[in-house]
Structures are given as structure tokens and as C-alpha cells.
């Protein structure tokens, strides 16, 4: 090995270990440099451990940096501070490590440390030239070659601070600067994560609320259908009650009055007339009982139905028992698989059924009637047939006149039925029943058109 090469390697060794001489003082200097080298390795290990703690957030990394620097210098105290106006989002703005305690409350900082805090805050560039002769050292904290703060410390007794020690302080300070620079990003990410969690919770709450509201809506719709079905039955009951009160009951009362007049006249004649008068008394009593029964029926028909709602076939079956001012025997038959219809459609079909049965009982004088509901592919067919004395041809002519002149009269109910059928997109037809009377047929396409739309197409 040549002399110049040996000289260069000695110089490199001196830079690394602090050796400056090969004379008799070599061994003590070697011992000191070995100790310094061990402290350097320990400091580097501390830096590595501090970097591993970065995931815990800026505060944890800054504490690790301050502790590592203090242990490296065996310092009585060590201060890390950020300059005013630099790293605005950095937290903490300063951190003092003394007696194994971290202090970030300015009111607790010892008086001897306050000048260093002021210098690092207001004149961080002066930390680049530490004055080790006063028993303390400083190192700058830079970011993009700009001073943003620094480290100040009072090394422990017997610790000789070399350039390598200052280099380690600078590395630690700069690592802290990077951590503090990312404080804003860290907090922003934390805030966004928290906000995302809040939004997720809010979305879950809204989903639960929506499900609850959907359930409430479904329950409300069911109640509305129930109310509409009840209303359909109640309307028919009240209409029958009015018919009974305005016509049948008046006829019965009139007949009773006539019987009473005849009985009174015959009772004074004696002989066979008196016997006839006695029989008329029995007739009067029967007439009185009939009036009482009529009044009871009218009262019952005026009261709201308390029966629970059900599907259309069930409601038609119930309807067939409340539209009968005479003894009309009604049978209901259902074919096919019933499908649910919109509430207004079921209400219209119920009203058409009631109107047809009422016509069979009052106008057709029928004794029997048959109601059929047939669910076909794409079609619902309702038929009401009876064995009465109605004439289909005459009903068709009356219906045409009623619709053309729009006059209220005996066959206004048929015109209403035609209008309801057309609103559902269907049609009504009248023909002779196999039972001998009239058959009313309503064909409604499925799915049912919304009320008001189908009429515009006719």
C-alpha cells in the first residue's frame, strides 16, 4: 500500500472516529471515538425506531426523536421547537424533554430554557452555528433547505460533543420536521376517515329510516285499501237504506193505513163485516211488525261495517249479503288465481257488483243471482246473472238513452257502471242470462289501467 493511499484512509478513519494522531495519545483517542461510535449506532437505532412509529401519528414520532436525541447526548434537558410562521399545521409547536418527562406547556418551561425557545422560534437560522463553549448545543431543523426550527440541549456531564453528534441531531431534527410537515395531512386523513364513518353511519340510519318509512307506507296503503273497501260497502248499505226508507217503508205504511181505515169501517157494520174486520186487525198487526223490521234493517244499514277487509273475492262475497231489499239468493264463484288490484280498481268492481245485485233484486224481481269472478291471463271477467224478469234489449236501449241525454232516472246506475268499466280500460255488456233473466258482464284487462287514463282512449 502506498504512502498517499495510507494517508487518505487514515484521514477517512479520523473523520469517522475523531482520531487525529497516531502518537502515544492514540489509544485514549481511540477509546473516546469508540464510545462516540457506539452512541452514534445507538442514535441511528433510535432514528429507526422513531421511523417505525410514524404510523402512530406525528406526536409519537416527535416524542421518539426528542427522546433519542436526549439519550444520545445524555442531556439534562433537550428542546425541539418550530419557528413562528413555519409548518403552520404542526402540533406540537414545541416539546421539552427533562427528567424523563415531556412538556408542551409553556408555563412549565424552566427559565434557563426560555431563551433557547425564543431563539428557535424567532431566529432559527442562528441554530446552525452552535456555541458549545457555554455548556449547551443547538442544531437546525430544515425543510427544503429552509430553517423551520431547531434543537437545543444541555449535554450531560462528561459528554464531549463532536461533529458526528451534531450531524445526528440534524438528522433527528429534520426527521421531526418531515413528521410535523405531514401533521396536516395526517389530521386531514383522520378527519376524512371520521367524516366517512359519520357518512356511513348516517347512510345506515337513513337506510333504516327508509325501511321503517316503507313499512309505514305499506301499512298505510293496507289501511287505505281497508278504508276504501269499507267505504264501498257502507255506501251501498246507505243507498239501500235510503231506498227502503223512501219507497218500501212508505208502501208498507200506506198499506197499513189502508187496512186500518177498512177495518174501522167494517167493524161498525156487524155480521160478516165484523168478522172481516177482525181479520184485518191481524193484518194490521203483521203490518206493524213489518214496519218495525224495516226500521231495524234501515238502522243496521246506516251503521259502518266493522268487518275486516279482505281480497276482492271475499269482499264480493260480503257485498252479496248487504244489497238485498228482497229475499234474493246469491251465490259467488271464483275461477283462476286471484291477483291483487289497485285499491281504486277493487272499489270500482265492488260498486259495479253492488249496483248489479241491487238492480236484480229491485227492478228484475229476481229470486236467485250468480256472481262470477274469473281471473284469466291478462283479463278479469265479472258477471252478474239472475232469474228475474228483466229484458236485456230494453236495458240496452234505456242505457243508450240515459248516456245520450245524461238524465237521472231508473237506469242511471247502469250508466255509472259503464263509466266505471271504461275508467278501468274495460267494457260492460248486457245479454240474456242462462237463468232466464239478465246477465251483466264486465271485462277488465290486466294489469288494470290507472283511473282516468283509459277513458281518454275511448
Amino acid at each position: 500500500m502506498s504512502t498517499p493511499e495510507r494517508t487518505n484512509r487514515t484521514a477517512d478513519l479520523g473523520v469517522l472516529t475523531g482520531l487525529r494522531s497516531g502518537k502515544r495519545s492514540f489509544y485514549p483517542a481511540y477509546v473516546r471515538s469508540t464510545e462516540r461510535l457506539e452512541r452514534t449506532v445507538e442514535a441511528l437505532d433510535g432514528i429507526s425506531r422513531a421511523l417505525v412509529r410514524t404510523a402512530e401519528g406525528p406526536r409519537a414520532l416527535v416524542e421518539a426523536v426528542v427522546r433519542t436525541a436526549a439519550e444520545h447526548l445524555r442531556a439534562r434537558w433537550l428542546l425541539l421547537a418550530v419557528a413562528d410562521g413555519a409548518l403552520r399545521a404542526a402540533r406540537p409547536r414545541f416539546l421539552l424533554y427533562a427528567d424523563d418527562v415531556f412538556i408542551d406547556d409553556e408555563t412549565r418551561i424552566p427559565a434557563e430554557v426560555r431563551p433557547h425557545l425564543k431563539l428557535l422560534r424567532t431566529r432559527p437560522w442562528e441554530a446552525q452555528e452552535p456555541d458549545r463553549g457555554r455548556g449547551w448545543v443547538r442544531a437546525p431543523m430544515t425543510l427544503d433547505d429552509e430553517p423551520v426550527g431547531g434543537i437545543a440541549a444541555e449535554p450531560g456531564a462528561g459528554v464531549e460533543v463532536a461533529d458526528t453528534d451534531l450531524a445526528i441531531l440534524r438528522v433527528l431534527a429534520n426527521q421531526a420536521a418531515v413528521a410535523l410537515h405531514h401533521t396536516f395531512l395526517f389530521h386531514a386523513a383522520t378527519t376524512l376517515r371520521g367524516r366517512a364513518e359519520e357518512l356511513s353511519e348516517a347512510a345506515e340510519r337513513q337506510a333504516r329510516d327508509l325501511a321503517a318509512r316503507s313499512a309505514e307506507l305499506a301499512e298505510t296503503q293496507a289501511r287505505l285499501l281497508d278504508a276504501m273497501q269499507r267505504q264501498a260497502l257502507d255506501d251501498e248499505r246507505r243507498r239501500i237504506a235510503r231506498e227502503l226508507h223512501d219507497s218500501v217503508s212508505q208502501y208498507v205504511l200506506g198499506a197499513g193505513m189502508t187496512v186500518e181505515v177498512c177495518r174501522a169501517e167494517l167493524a161498525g157494520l156487524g155480521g160478516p163485516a165484523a168478522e172481516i174486520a177482525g181479520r184485518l186487525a191481524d193484518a194490521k198487526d203483521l203490518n206493524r211488525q213489518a214496519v218495525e223490521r224495516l226500521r231495524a234493517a234501515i238502522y243496521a244499514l246506516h251503521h259502518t261495517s266493522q268487518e275486516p277487509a279482505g281480497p276482492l273475492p271475499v269482499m264480493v262475497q260480503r257485498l252479496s249479503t248487504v244489497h238485498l231489499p228482497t229475499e234474493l239468493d246469491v251465490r259467488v264463484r271464483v275461477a283462476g288465481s286471484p291477483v291483487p288490484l289497485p285499491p281504486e280498481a277493487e272499489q270500482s268492481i265492488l260498486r259495479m257488483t253492488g249496483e248489479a245485485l241491487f238492480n236484480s233484486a229491485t227492478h228484475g224481481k229476481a229470486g236467485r243471482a250468480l256472481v262470477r269472478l274469473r281471473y284469466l291471463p291478462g283479463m278479469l271477467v265479472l258477471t252478474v246473472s239472475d232469474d228475474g224478469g228483466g229484458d236485456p234489449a230494453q236495458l240496452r236501449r234505456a242505457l243508450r238513452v240515459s248516456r245520450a241525454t245524461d238524465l237521472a232516472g231508473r237506469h242511471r246506475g247502469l250508466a255509472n257502471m259503464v263509466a266505471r268499466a271504461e275508467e278501468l280500460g274495460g267494457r260492460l255488456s248486457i245479454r240474456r242470462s242462462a237463468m232466464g233473466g239478465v246477465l251483466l258482464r264486465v271485462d277488465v284487462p290486466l294489469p288494470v289501467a290507472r283511473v282516468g287514463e283509459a277513458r281518454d282512449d275511448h
Side-chain angles (χ1 to χ4, degrees):
M1 179 181 297
S2 63
T3 300
E5 183 177 356
R6 184 181 297 108
T7 301
N8 292 336
R9 303 192 76 179
T10 301
D12 293 338
L13 183 62
V15 172
L16 178 62
T17 63
L19 293 178
R20 296 293 182 273
S21 174
K23 300 180 181 180
R24 296 179 180 179
S25 61
F26 172 81
Y27 182 74
Y30 175 76
V31 172
R32 288 194 300 273
S33 15
T34 300
E35 292 175 352
R36 187 177 296 112
L37 186 59
E38 289 177 353
R39 292 204 307 272
T40 301
V41 172
E42 291 176 357
L44 292 174
D45 180 64
I47 294 174
S48 176
R49 285 185 280 109
L51 290 173
V52 171
R53 298 187 63 183
T54 301
E56 300 179 18
R59 172 80 185 210
L61 179 57
V62 172
E63 288 183 359
V65 166
V66 170
R67 184 187 296 275
T68 299
E71 291 176 353
H72 179 70
L73 297 176
R74 300 188 181 93
R76 292 180 57 247
W77 57 262
L78 187 139
L79 172 69
L80 183 146
V82 180
D84 293 341
L87 303 177
R88 297 181 182 276
R91 296 294 182 276
R93 300 297 295 177
F94 73 88
L95 196 61
L96 174 66
Y97 182 77
D99 298 326
D100 202 30
V101 175
F102 290 104
I103 300 173
D104 58 5
D105 182 358
E106 192 167 347
T107 62
R108 297 173 55 194
I109 294 181
E112 61 178 314
V113 181
R114 291 183 180 277
H116 300 283
L117 177 60
K118 181 178 180 181
L119 182 142
L120 295 178
R121 280 178 167 177
T122 59
R123 304 187 306 278
W125 54 87
E126 293 186 10
Q128 297 180 7
E129 299 178 0
D131 185 352
R132 281 170 277 176
R134 299 183 183 181
W136 42 262
V137 295
R138 289 194 298 256
M141 180 168 60
T142 61
L143 191 66
D144 293 333
D145 298 328
E146 292 292 333
V148 294
I151 288 180
E154 182 181 2
V159 176
E160 295 182 7
V161 179
D163 291 340
T164 53
D165 301 314
L166 296 177
I168 290 173
L169 290 182
R170 288 193 296 271
V171 171
L172 289 170
N174 292 340
Q175 181 60 41
V178 173
L180 292 172
H181 177 63
H182 288 85
T183 299
F184 174 76
L185 297 178
F186 176 82
H187 286 293
T190 303
T191 302
L192 288 175
R193 183 168 58 250
R195 182 58 177 163
E197 292 175 355
E198 292 177 0
L199 291 175
S200 177
E201 293 176 358
E204 292 178 359
R205 288 195 301 269
Q206 291 179 355
R208 291 193 296 268
D209 292 344
L210 180 60
R213 292 181 182 276
S214 297
E216 293 176 359
L217 178 60
E219 182 179 358
T220 301
Q221 290 177 334
R223 291 178 179 177
L224 177 60
L225 176 59
D226 184 3
M228 294 178 69
Q229 290 175 336
R230 290 177 187 275
Q231 185 64 41
L233 294 175
D234 293 338
D235 289 347
E236 295 300 325
R237 281 189 171 96
R238 292 190 180 96
R239 190 185 66 167
I240 299 304
R242 287 194 300 270
E243 292 285 342
L244 291 175
H245 180 271
D246 296 341
S247 58
V248 179
S249 62
Q250 301 302 319
Y251 297 153
V252 175
L253 288 172
M257 294 177 62
T258 302
V259 169
E260 175 60 19
V261 170
C262 293
R263 187 195 66 79
E265 292 179 353
L266 293 175
L269 297 178
E275 182 180 354
I276 295 173
R279 293 177 182 176
L280 289 176
D282 294 336
K284 176 185 176 183
D285 185 61
L286 291 174
N287 183 268
R288 179 184 58 79
Q289 294 180 26
V291 171
E292 291 177 355
R293 293 290 299 273
L294 276 173
R295 287 175 177 172
I298 292 171
Y299 176 82
L301 288 172
H302 268 300
H303 280 66
T304 302
S305 172
Q306 298 300 320
E307 296 175 333
L312 181 60
V314 174
M315 298 305 295
V316 169
Q317 181 66 57
R318 293 174 183 171
L319 184 66
S320 66
T321 64
V322 298
H323 288 73
L324 311 178
T326 63
E327 294 296 329
L328 180 64
D329 180 21
V330 181
R331 296 289 183 267
V332 177
R333 296 178 185 175
V334 181
S337 299
V339 296
L341 304 178
E344 62 272 14
E346 292 196 352
Q347 186 182 28
S348 293
I349 293 173
L350 282 173
R351 289 184 179 276
M352 285 188 286
T353 305
E355 182 72 36
L357 288 174
F358 186 79
N359 289 340
S360 295
T362 57
H363 304 310
K365 309 299 181 184
R368 293 183 300 120
L370 174 64
V371 179
R372 286 185 177 180
L373 274 176
R374 289 186 293 165
Y375 291 89
L376 306 176
M379 184 69 66
L380 170 65
V381 179
L382 166 69
T383 60
V384 179
S385 54
D386 61 54
D387 63 352
D391 183 358
Q394 182 181 357
L395 290 177
R396 287 193 293 267
R397 287 193 298 271
L399 178 59
R400 286 195 296 270
V401 172
S402 176
R403 298 196 71 189
T405 59
D406 197 22
L407 297 175
R410 181 176 179 181
H411 301 292
R412 184 67 252 177
L414 284 175
N416 290 337
M417 293 178 64
V418 172
R420 291 183 185 279
E422 291 178 348
E423 285 180 344
L424 299 178
R427 63 187 183 88
L428 180 142
S429 57
I430 305 174
R431 65 185 69 173
R432 176 66 65 183
S433 166
M435 300 170 64
V438 175
L439 181 146
L440 296 179
R441 171 171 172 153
V442 179
D443 295 88
V444 178
L446 297 177
V448 177
R450 298 180 61 181
V451 174
E453 292 181 353
R455 176 175 288 187
D456 296 337
D457 298 334
H458 284 70

